[in-house]
Every structure is written in C-alpha cells, then in structure tokens.
C-alpha cells in the first residue's frame, strides 16, 4: 500500500475513531482469537515481520514507520522520549492509535505490540502529564511488596490508557556490584530474595493491564561495564549464578511473567564461546531459559544497536539472525538505526529463514507466542484507546498520592552526626543549596533565606566549583545534592571543597546511594535513590522535618554501612536514633486499611 495513502488513512481514521474503538479497559470478549488459524494464513514474510519490534523518530505516524509496518510487516513498535514518540499522554494516545490504524490496514490486520521502558525512577519515558515514581531501589528501601504492586498496577493502567500495551519492566537484576554503571537504582537491591519478592509483586501489578518484561536475563547486576558501550563479562560459577542472578528470574517464571528480555553480557559459566553475549547464546536462551527453567513466554532481545552486541559478529543484521537462532522471539531495534537499516535486519532474518538456517518450526513457535500474547491482552478487540478517557486513568489524584507516599517511605537516613537533622534553622540563618537538581522552590516554603547554585552537570567545572565555594562561604548551613559522585570525580572535588569550609552540611544522593564512599566524613547523608519530582520533594521534607525517614538500605555501602541500615528521627524535632527497622514493622502514619494491605519483604 502506498505510504502516503496509509498516513492519510490514519489522519482520517483519527477523526472518526469513535466509530470503531471500544471503551478503554473493557473486559476482553469471550471470543479468543484463533492464533493457530491466523498463523496458518501468514506468509513467511509476515511471520518474520511479527518478530521485529522497530523504532522511529516522530510524534505522529509518518512515512518511516509506515514503511516498517507495511514493507517489513513489523509486529511491534518501541516508543522513546528522545525520539519524540512520547511527549505527553494525549499525543501518545493519538500516536498509538495511528500506529494501530497502519497495522489494521495490512493484509491480515494483526495489532501491534507497542512497548516502552517505563521502569519508574531514573528510567521512564512518559513523564510529562503522567505520574512520576520513585523507582525500584526506592521501592526496595521501603521493603513493602504492596508498594511495588501498587506502583506497577498504576503505571500499567496509565500506559494502557495511552495505547502502550507492553512495558519493558520490571528490572530483575540483583545489583551486587556498587560500580555497576548501567543498573544501580534500576534494581530493587542486592539481596536476591528482595528482588524476587518485589519483582513478583510488580509483575502481578503490571499484568493487570500490560505485558510485563523481566530484564536482563541471565542477570546484569554484577557488571562494571555498560553494555551500551561494550561487552560486560560475569565471571561467576554456575552455583553462584543460581544463588544470586537466577533467583528473581525463576520466581518471575513461576509467577507467570509474559516476557523476558535478554542481556548483552558474556557469562562463560553458561556459555564459554569467546565474546558471545547471552542474547546470541542458544545454550542460555534455549538451553537454560526454555528447557531448564521451563519458560514458555516471549523472549525479547535488548536493543540490538547497543555496543554489547552490535560490535560483535559482523553488525546488527548478522547478530539479529544469531539471536533468533539462539531462541529469541522478538528482535528489538531502535531509531539508532535508520528505517533502511532496520529493513535490512528484517531481510537478513527473512533470508536466513528462507535458507533453512532458522527452522520453519522455530519461526512458527515464536510467532504463535506473539499472537497468543496479543490475544491474551485483548488487542484484537481493543487495540485503540479513547484520548477522552485519559484523565480517568493518568496522573489521577490516587496515583499521585500513592507515588508521593512511596517516595516519602523510601528516603533513607544513612548518617546524622550530632543530630544535625532535621534542620532547625533560625529565621535569620542562611541556607545554601548546591545541587545537580534544583531544590530551591521546594525549600523556600520552609525557609525564606535560601540561595541556590544549580549546576545541572555530572562533572561541574573548576569554575563551577569555585563559584559554589564562594557562595557557600556566605551561608550558615549547606545542602548538597549529588548524582553518582563515585563515578564523577568533579562532584567529589566539589563536596570536598565545601567540606573545607567546616560548615554544617547535609548531602543527598539523588541516584546510587554509594556516593558517601567518596566523602565518608560528611556530617549528614541521605539516599533518595532518584531525581524524579516525588523523590526531590520527599528528600526536602525529610531534611526539614516534615517526613520521618523510614527507608532501609537495600544495598551495602562497602566498608561503611550494612544492608538494612537506616536511621530514624526520635520525633519531628527531637534527637535522631539509630534503628534497624524490624522486617514486619508498620508505618506509624499508615491507616489501618493500609497496614492490613501492606506486607513487608524481610529479605
């Protein structure tokens, strides 16, 4: 079909959408799509296309994505914020409706899987106009599986309301390596059982509305290389992998997760082929995941444009063929590849299938899994959404209230020398803020005499540091925000320069909680585990005494603080006390209903 005609049809269709849409979140009809019959109607070209999840630039359907859906028969699309696919909820709903209209105009009209990475916290694509969440490690710090369930359920509801039916979450990696450059706070923590418990709760929450995707199999938590930039290697025995990395994935499989994403990591204990990423390993994807662990759901690769796989085995098209041969059902592509390059990947897999390099039976099994999950989530009946319904499901008062409650419960008071916190500022005292993220509008309602230097870069220049020091000299108390300082030496230099002023100083870590390793003698230190608005607000409220710190470290800070450490204030303005919170302790401020519903993970 002519691309221009297809786009025109989408524009017309968007005007008369009410004629063929179903109410959002209507119960799936009793009619179940006959996936086997549909599979038999498909050509090989259409089958291979179903295995492609493609990306494009643009906030509305255009010629590029129309080509991928119609020429390459793409069965899935991934949306990103950087590519302007996801701008706000209403725009996203119109986009997803347009994409589904393009798919509906194909020969068989199979609906699309439309995915995004909405993990919460530092990895979230839909933020403007949607609920922001504190993220996985913040959830781990609360120890409440009910919070993981609630956050996932509400996130899934918001995604489905805008037409996104697959979430590439939750992250099931066990972050046992403090130097991990790519996982960190995306993980629930370093304890395998904690990750398994929180992940299981999230899976159930997501899958009330959208497909959940556990990642990154067989576990990306013990790496010190970013797989976007290179190939990490995990040199651990099979026994050690069984005790740590595989625990959350086994639990996820038992809980019925519908999709698992592969990791671009080399694990010699599972496959000793030199430089072979797990994504391309048949012993790992088919031997371990399918056969040993009994997983029957979708296997989707991580982005095939990442250096951890793209730089090996002759480029993305050849790597994609090898991933399918290994057992992947869906090849994940992104706008990092042009439309022509993505079509080349599709053609490479198609040619391998035609030559018998990928067995026809394997292609059929993969496509049948894809069709079945599309039917399970009612996409044949309810592929479209009504933008008018968005206010009922996105950024609702209940969602915003729950998000804020979780963020407040996550803030972890790690150090409080001489009971510096909560701050007891006199009206004439000057508070100076030096932070990666602006806090002044949140602080000023509490204290008017506040000045801020907001440097908005992970490695401030020497001139930035000097300016911060000069401002700090005129202040009575300092509030400093850091962001992965252990990996950014100029941040460490800034904090140490401020320490030399010998003023009362509070440091808040707005991503990984390990920053205090670089400046262990700061007087007061909190972990917020993220920089979303709710985490910033909760951290400020805690510093100034309006929120009791309840979080417990879900990781060890090597040489300083153990897993489970967390201080509390004795009262709003009384001395702080150290307290290893009992695993089953209820929040003093929770309602009786909340206390009955919330279950802690003691692991």
């Amino acid at each position: 079909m002519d691309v221009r005609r297809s786009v025109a049809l989408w524009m017309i269709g968007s005007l008369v959408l009410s004629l063929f849409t179903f109410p959002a979140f209507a119960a799936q009809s009793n009619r179940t799509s006959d996936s086997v019959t549909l599979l038999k109607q498909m050509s090989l070209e259409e089958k291979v296309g179903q295995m492609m999840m493609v990306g494009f630039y643009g906030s509305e359907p255009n010629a590029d994505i129309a080509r991928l859906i119609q020429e390459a028969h793409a069965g899935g699309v991934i949306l990103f914020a950087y590519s302007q696919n996801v701008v706000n909820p209403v725009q996203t709903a119109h986009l997803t409706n347009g994409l589904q209209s393009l798919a509906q105009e194909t020969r068989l009209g199979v609906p699309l899987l439309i995915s995004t990475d909405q993990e919460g916290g530092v990895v979230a694509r839909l933020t403007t106009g949607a609920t922001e969440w504190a993220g996985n490690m913040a959830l781990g710090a609360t120890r409440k599986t009910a919070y993981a369930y609630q956050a996932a359920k509400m996130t899934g509801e918001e995604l489905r309301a805008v037409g996104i039916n697959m979430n590439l979450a939750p992250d099931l990696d066990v972050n046992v390596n403090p130097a991990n450059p790519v996982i960190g706070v995306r993980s629930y923590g370093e304890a395998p059982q904690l990750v398994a418990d929180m992940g299981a709760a999230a899976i159930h929450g997501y899958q009330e509305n959208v497909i959940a995707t556990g990642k990154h199999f067989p576990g990306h938590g013990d790496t010190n290389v970013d797989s976007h930039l290179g190939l990490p290697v995990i040199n651990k025995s099979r026994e050690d992998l069984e005790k740590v990395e595989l625990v959350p994935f086994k639990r996820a499989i038992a809980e019925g997760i519908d999709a698992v994403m592969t990791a671009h990591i080399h694990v010699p204990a599972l496959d000793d082929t030199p430089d072979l990423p797990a994504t391309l390993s048949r012993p790992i994807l088919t031997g371990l995941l399918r056969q040993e662990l009994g997983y029957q759901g979708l296997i989707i690769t991580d982005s095939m444009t990442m250096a951890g796989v793209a730089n090996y085995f002759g480029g993305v098209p050849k790597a994609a063929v090898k991933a399918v041969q290994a057992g992947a059902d869906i090849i994940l592509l992104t706008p990092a590849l042009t439309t022509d390059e993505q079509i080349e990947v599709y053609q490479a897999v198609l040619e391998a299938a035609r030559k018998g390099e990928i067995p026809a039976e394997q292609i059929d099994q993969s496509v049948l899994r894809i069709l079945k999950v599309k039917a399970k989530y009612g996409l044949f009946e309810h592929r479209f959404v009504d933008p008018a319904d968005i206010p009922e499901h996105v950024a609702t008062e209940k969602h915003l209230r729950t998000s804020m409650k979780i963020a407040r419960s996550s803030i972890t008071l790690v150090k409080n020398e001489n009971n510096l916190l909560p701050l007891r500022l006199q009206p004439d005292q000057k508070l100076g803020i030096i932070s990666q993220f602006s806090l002044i509008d949140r602080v000023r309602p509490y204290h008017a005499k506040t000045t801020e230097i907001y440097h908005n870069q992970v490695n401030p220049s020497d001139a930035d540091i000097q300016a911060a020091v000069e401002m700090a000299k005129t202040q009575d108390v300092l509030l400093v925000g850091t962001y992965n300082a252990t990996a950014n030496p100029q941040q460490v230099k800034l904090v140490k320069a401020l320490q030399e002023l010998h003023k009362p100083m509070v440091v808040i870590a707005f991503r990984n909680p390990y920053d205090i390793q670089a400046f262990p003698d700061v007087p007061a230190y909190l972990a917020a585990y993220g920089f979303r608005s709710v985490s910033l607000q909760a951290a400020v409220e805690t510093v100034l005494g309006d929120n009791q710190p309840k979080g417990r470290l879900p990781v060890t800070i090597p040489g300083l603080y153990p897993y489970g450490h967390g201080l509390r204030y004795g009262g709003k303005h009384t001395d702080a006390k150290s307290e290893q919170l009992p695993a089953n302790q209820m929040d003093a401020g929770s309602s009786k209903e909340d206390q009955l519903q919330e279950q802690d993970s003691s692991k």
Side-chain angles (χ1 to χ4, degrees):
M1 178 180 293
D2 180 78
V3 166
R4 288 173 295 181
R5 179 169 174 259
S6 297
V7 176
L9 282 171
W10 163 74
M11 294 175 69
I12 295 170
S14 66
L15 296 176
V16 295
L17 191 60
S18 61
L19 296 177
F20 52 81
T21 57
F22 292 80
F25 308 113
Q28 185 174 344
S29 71
N30 292 327
R31 181 181 66 83
T32 300
S33 176
D34 188 343
S35 301
V36 174
T37 300
L38 181 56
L39 178 68
K40 291 177 179 178
Q41 296 173 4
M42 285 183 162
S43 66
L44 181 60
E45 290 79 4
E46 289 166 329
K47 291 175 182 178
V48 172
Q50 282 295 306
M51 300 172 69
M52 299 292 129
M53 182 166 282
V54 298
F56 72 106
Y57 284 96
S59 58
E60 60 184 37
N62 55 32
D64 287 332
I65 190 59
R67 282 187 64 201
L68 290 167
I69 292 172
Q70 292 165 357
E71 291 183 27
H73 308 283
V77 179
I78 182 170
L79 305 183
F80 294 98
Y82 77 82
S83 57
Q84 292 298 300
N85 302 145
V86 178
V87 179
N88 59 61
V90 172
Q91 167 272 326
T92 303
H94 284 296
L95 170 62
T96 58
N97 281 337
L99 296 175
Q100 294 288 11
S101 292
L102 290 172
Q104 191 177 53
E105 292 298 323
T106 61
R107 186 177 75 91
L108 294 175
V110 180
L112 297 168
L113 292 177
I114 300 180
S115 74
T116 198
D117 296 274
Q118 195 79 357
E119 297 175 14
V122 300
V123 176
R125 310 308 185 199
L126 182 62
T127 54
T128 302
T131 306
E132 291 189 324
W133 299 92
N136 283 356
M137 193 168 284
L139 285 163
T142 73
R143 297 302 198 274
K144 295 185 185 298
T145 55
Y147 283 174
Y149 168 79
Q150 291 166 9
K153 179 181 177 180
M154 293 175 185
T155 297
E157 180 183 347
E158 297 196 5
L159 291 177
R160 193 65 187 263
V162 301
I164 295 170
N165 50 53
M166 183 176 189
N167 194 13
L168 304 181
D171 191 306
L172 298 177
D173 299 311
V174 183
N175 199 77
V176 294
N177 190 338
N180 194 320
V182 67
I183 304 301
V185 292
R186 298 170 64 191
S187 166
Y188 293 106
E190 70 177 29
Q193 198 59 51
L194 173 68
V195 177
D197 289 346
M198 303 297 276
I203 290 163
H204 287 291
Y206 285 130
Q207 292 190 172
E208 290 192 23
N209 291 286
V210 297
I211 301 161
T213 308
K215 60 190 187 185
H216 307 81
F217 186 83
H220 209 314
D222 195 9
T223 61
N224 58 10
V225 172
D226 186 341
S227 53
H228 293 83
L229 307 176
L231 179 63
V233 179
I234 295 185
N235 281 310
K236 301 177 80 167
S237 68
R238 173 64 186 265
E239 182 181 9
D240 288 338
L241 293 167
E242 291 279 358
K243 292 178 180 177
V244 180
E245 279 78 7
L246 296 181
V247 171
F249 289 99
K250 289 181 177 180
R251 177 71 175 279
I253 293 168
E255 299 291 339
I257 193 165
D258 284 313
V260 168
M261 177 179 282
T262 67
H264 302 329
I265 57 173
H266 180 45
V267 190
L270 301 179
D271 187 340
D272 61 4
T273 305
D275 294 330
L276 186 70
T279 297
L280 310 185
S281 168
R282 188 166 180 84
I284 294 176
L285 300 193
T286 298
L288 174 59
L289 184 54
R290 286 274 186 232
Q291 296 172 355
E292 289 189 48
L293 301 186
Y295 176 63
Q296 298 301 315
L298 293 177
I299 298 176
I300 180 172
T301 71
D302 204 343
S303 169
M304 297 299 290
T305 60
M306 292 164 57
V309 67
N311 291 353
Y312 297 82
F313 303 99
V316 179
K318 290 183 179 179
V321 171
K322 195 166 185 65
V324 174
Q325 291 171 332
D329 300 307
I330 298 177
I331 299 297
L332 180 59
L333 305 173
T334 73
L337 295 179
T338 67
T339 299
D340 286 340
E341 289 171 333
Q342 293 184 65
I343 290 176
E344 287 177 13
V345 175
Y346 160 73
Q347 290 172 336
V349 177
L350 177 60
E351 186 62 22
R354 284 172 175 161
K355 291 179 177 178
E357 295 170 2
I358 303 171
E361 181 183 4
Q362 182 182 334
I363 295 287
D364 284 353
Q365 288 173 345
S366 290
V367 177
L368 188 57
R369 290 187 192 102
I370 294 167
L371 296 177
K372 282 182 175 180
V373 81
K374 289 180 177 182
K376 176 180 177 181
Y377 284 85
L379 302 186
F380 289 90
E381 296 87 359
H382 309 301
R383 72 178 74 196
F384 299 106
V385 296
D386 187 347
D389 290 337
I390 286 174
E392 298 178 23
H393 302 285
V394 179
T396 65
E397 182 181 349
K398 181 179 180 180
H399 291 189
L400 297 174
R401 185 173 62 248
T402 302
S403 175
M404 196 67 239
K405 178 181 179 180
I406 292 171
R408 287 174 177 139
S409 297
S410 73
I411 302 298
T412 305
L413 181 59
V414 177
K415 185 177 182 183
N416 195 18
E417 195 172 88
N418 298 322
N419 300 320
L420 176 59
L421 293 175
L423 289 181
R424 306 169 181 85
L425 297 170
Q426 299 302 314
D428 61 344
Q429 284 188 297
K430 298 177 182 177
L431 176 64
I433 302 173
I434 303 97
S435 178
Q436 171 81 17
F437 304 97
S438 182
L439 302 174
I440 193 165
D441 290 341
R442 304 176 190 280
V443 172
R444 274 193 173 149
Y446 293 91
H447 191 72
K449 286 200 170 185
T450 302
T451 304
E452 179 178 71
I453 286 186
Y454 163 48
H455 51 81
N456 192 28
Q457 51 186 331
V458 294
N459 271 312
S461 67
D462 287 344
D464 292 331
I465 293 173
Q466 186 58 39
V469 169
E470 291 303 315
M471 182 273 277
K473 288 178 180 178
T474 67
Q475 307 300 303
D476 299 304
V477 180
L478 303 179
L479 178 60
V480 181
T482 62
Y483 181 88
N484 284 5
T486 53
N488 295 288
Q490 286 293 101
Q491 281 191 55
V492 177
K493 185 176 181 180
L494 168 62
V495 174
K496 290 186 174 180
L498 294 171
Q499 283 184 277
E500 291 177 3
L501 301 178
H502 302 292
K503 294 177 181 285
M505 185 165 77
V506 179
V507 175
I508 307 172
F510 285 120
R511 187 159 177 167
N512 290 346
Y514 309 108
D515 288 359
I516 194 172
Q517 288 182 285
F519 30 78
D521 51 347
V522 293
Y525 180 84
L526 301 95
Y529 309 105
F531 55 79
R532 296 298 175 192
S533 59
V534 288
S535 295
L536 300 181
Q537 181 65 29
V540 166
E541 290 177 2
T542 305
V543 166
L544 294 166
D546 258 4
N547 181 57
Q548 172 73 260
K550 307 178 189 73
R552 288 180 288 158
L553 285 175
V555 293
T556 300
I557 301 179
L560 294 174
Y561 300 98
Y563 175 92
H565 171 78
L567 308 179
R568 296 191 73 171
Y569 301 150
K572 184 174 180 181
H573 291 296
T574 59
D575 290 344
K577 61 181 179 180
S578 176
E579 185 181 67
Q580 299 293 338
L581 303 181
N584 61 354
Q585 180 173 321
M586 297 293 186
D587 289 340
S590 297
S591 68
K592 183 176 181 180
E593 180 182 358
D594 287 336
Q595 291 187 5
L596 290 173
Q597 290 178 350
E598 291 170 6
Q599 296 179 348
D600 290 0
S601 174
S602 60
K603 316 301 190 295

